[in-house]
């Protein structure tokens, strides 16, 4: 499931790609978006993983696979900063999954943390795999505990980029420039859940879930973001308090700023991509 060794940049990239693909597969499977035939089965210790595959009998799953492959292209080029997928109904977001990426091009560092479980610097491939298992297990357990989504939901995705390295005309396969007419609102009372993170010498990937509070049955208190769910700070959607990022933007979840107005002015809007085709609105 994971590379045997994770000591090179290419091996690290393979790991991050697989973590993303498995996570998105989990998000669609546990929410009943596609039929069983759209998934293959793999095992991670005692955890049964359902992974999306190219099912020609299900155009929706083919579309999601294409979107994931588009994100892979942006990951390979080290352009994408945040990949997020969300369910919405009547233009109101009801659940959002956020994947934040960072690239370590200078001094290699190792800082793996997930749910307050931290490992010191100098970890080997075994420790990175352990953190990866913990992240996937936490995501699966969280998805099992979430209440059902509305029946009339639609799934979509967006990519946010590091503007200083991403060409203005770049679009990954399957995506186009975001032309959302306005902001999307978050339905109900949102709660922000920290799923975990995995870090190698070359990449850092963080995963968070935002959903309606009433849908969370018994979330681990360590998963709940202490700062509350009404604001997410980021160079797009998420930046830590101890990070000093030049284009850090505060975005209210009740008024998700897909219009990308930055605190430094509209001329520095963050580059955002959305799928070329209409989002999915069918469920199995």
């Amino acid at each position: 499931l994971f590379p045997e060794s994770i000591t090179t940049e290419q091996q690290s990239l393979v790991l991050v790609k697989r973590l993303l693909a498995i996570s998105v597969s989990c998000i669609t499977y546990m929410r009943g978006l596609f039929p069983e035939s759209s998934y293959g089965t793999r095992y991670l210790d005692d955890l049964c993983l359902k992974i999306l595959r190219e099912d020609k009998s299900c155009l929706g799953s083919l579309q999601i696979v294409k979107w994931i492959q588009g994100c892979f292209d942006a990951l390979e080029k080290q352009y994408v900063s945040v990949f997020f997928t969300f369910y919405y109904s009547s233009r109101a977001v009801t659940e959002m999954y956020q994947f934040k990426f960072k690239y370590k091009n200078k001094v290699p560092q190792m800082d793996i943390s997930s749910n307050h479980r931290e490992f010191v610097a100098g970890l080997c491939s075994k420790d990175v795999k352990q953190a990866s298992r913990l992240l996937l297990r936490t995501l699966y357990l969280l998805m099992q505990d979430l209440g059902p989504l509305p029946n009339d939901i639609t799934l979509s995705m967006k990519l946010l980029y590091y503007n200083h390295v991403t060409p203005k005309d770049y679009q990954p396969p399957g995506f186009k420039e975001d032309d959302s007419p306005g902001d999307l609102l978050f339905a109900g009372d949102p709660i922000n859940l920290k799923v975990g993170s995995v870090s190698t010498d070359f990449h850092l990937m963080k995963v968070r879930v935002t959903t309606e509070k009433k849908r969370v049955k018994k979330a681990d208190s360590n998963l709940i973001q202490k700062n509350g769910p009404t604001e997410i700070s980021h160079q797009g959607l998420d930046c830590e308090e101890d990070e000093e990022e030049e284009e850090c933007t505060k975005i209210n979840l009740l008024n998700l700023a897909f219009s990308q107005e930055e605190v430094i002015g509209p001329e520095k809007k963050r580059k955002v991509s959305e799928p070329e085709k209409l989002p999915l609105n069918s469920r199995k």
Side-chain angles (χ1 to χ4, degrees):
L1 197 59
F2 301 129
E4 183 175 346
S5 177
I6 310 170
T7 57
T8 69
E9 184 173 4
Q10 181 59 34
Q11 292 167 340
S12 176
L13 178 62
V14 169
L15 173 70
V16 171
K17 285 181 176 180
R18 291 183 182 176
L19 285 174
L20 177 63
I22 295 171
S23 297
V24 174
S25 297
C26 167
I27 290 166
T28 60
Y29 182 79
M30 300 298 285
R31 284 318 202 179
L33 196 64
F34 304 122
E36 191 76 24
S37 61
S38 296
Y39 300 87
T41 301
R42 298 289 296 274
Y43 286 90
L44 182 62
D45 299 328
D46 61 337
L47 187 64
C48 179
L49 303 176
K50 295 293 184 176
I51 302 177
L52 274 170
R53 60 186 178 186
E54 294 181 307
D55 179 12
K56 294 182 179 180
S57 66
C58 180
L59 296 179
S61 65
L62 285 174
Q63 187 173 323
I64 292 291
V65 170
K66 183 177 181 180
W67 291 352
I68 295 174
Q69 291 171 342
C71 186
F72 286 174
D73 185 81
L75 276 170
E76 291 170 0
K77 294 177 170 64
Q78 299 190 358
Y79 291 163
V80 64
S81 64
V82 182
F83 167 88
F84 65 100
T85 180
F86 55 94
Y87 292 106
Y88 69 93
S89 175
S90 301
R91 289 192 57 76
V93 176
T94 188
E95 198 159 274
M96 181 172 69
Y97 310 87
Q98 179 186 161
F99 300 85
K100 180 181 179 182
F101 305 101
K102 285 192 173 183
Y103 311 97
K104 305 174 183 179
N105 295 322
K106 296 182 180 180
V107 180
Q109 296 178 346
M110 185 69 73
D111 177 20
I112 298 179
S113 61
S114 181
N115 304 334
H116 303 292
R117 305 180 189 183
E118 297 184 356
F119 303 83
V120 297
L123 289 176
C124 61
S125 299
K126 180 180 178 181
D127 298 309
V128 176
K129 293 179 184 179
Q130 180 182 345
S132 301
R133 291 187 183 94
L134 180 59
L135 185 147
L136 292 176
R137 184 176 295 275
T138 302
L139 180 60
Y140 262 77
L141 293 177
L142 173 62
M143 297 298 294
Q144 289 175 358
D145 287 337
L146 291 180
L149 290 169
N151 291 325
D152 60 340
I153 54 95
T154 298
L155 175 67
S156 189
M157 299 182 181
K158 289 183 185 287
L159 296 178
L160 282 71
Y161 303 90
Y162 289 107
N163 281 5
H164 66 287
V165 296
T166 307
K168 292 183 178 180
D169 60 349
Y170 171 76
Q171 294 296 337
F175 286 83
K176 64 178 182 178
E177 183 177 355
D178 178 67
D179 57 2
S180 299
D183 299 342
L184 293 179
L185 304 179
F186 203 102
D189 184 14
I191 185 171
N192 202 28
L193 304 171
K194 298 181 293 184
V195 177
S197 63
V198 174
S199 179
T200 73
D201 284 333
F202 306 95
H203 299 87
L204 170 65
M205 172 177 162
K206 294 183 179 181
V207 182
R208 293 185 180 179
V209 176
T210 304
T211 188
E212 290 189 61
K213 185 177 293 185
K214 67 180 182 180
R215 201 173 290 136
V216 180
K217 298 177 181 178
K218 52 179 181 178
D220 185 334
S221 60
N222 287 333
L223 297 179
I224 300 175
Q225 185 172 341
K226 294 181 180 179
N227 292 336
T230 55
E231 273 194 349
I232 292 182
S233 300
H234 184 336
Q235 292 182 314
L237 278 180
D238 166 36
C239 73
E240 301 300 324
E241 291 184 1
D242 59 348
E243 293 174 351
E244 296 181 358
E245 298 179 334
E246 291 183 358
E247 297 178 46
C248 182
T249 304
K250 290 188 176 180
I251 298 179
N252 194 306
L253 275 178
L254 300 178
N255 184 26
L256 287 173
F258 293 155
S259 59
Q260 313 155 57
E261 289 295 331
E262 302 280 352
V263 292
I264 54 177
E267 71 278 1
K268 289 292 185 73
K269 289 181 180 180
R270 174 155 295 282
K271 179 179 175 63
V272 181
S273 296
E274 64 178 2
E276 289 179 336
K277 295 184 178 180
L278 293 176
L280 302 165
N281 55 14
S282 61
R283 303 179 76 174
K284 69 181 183 183

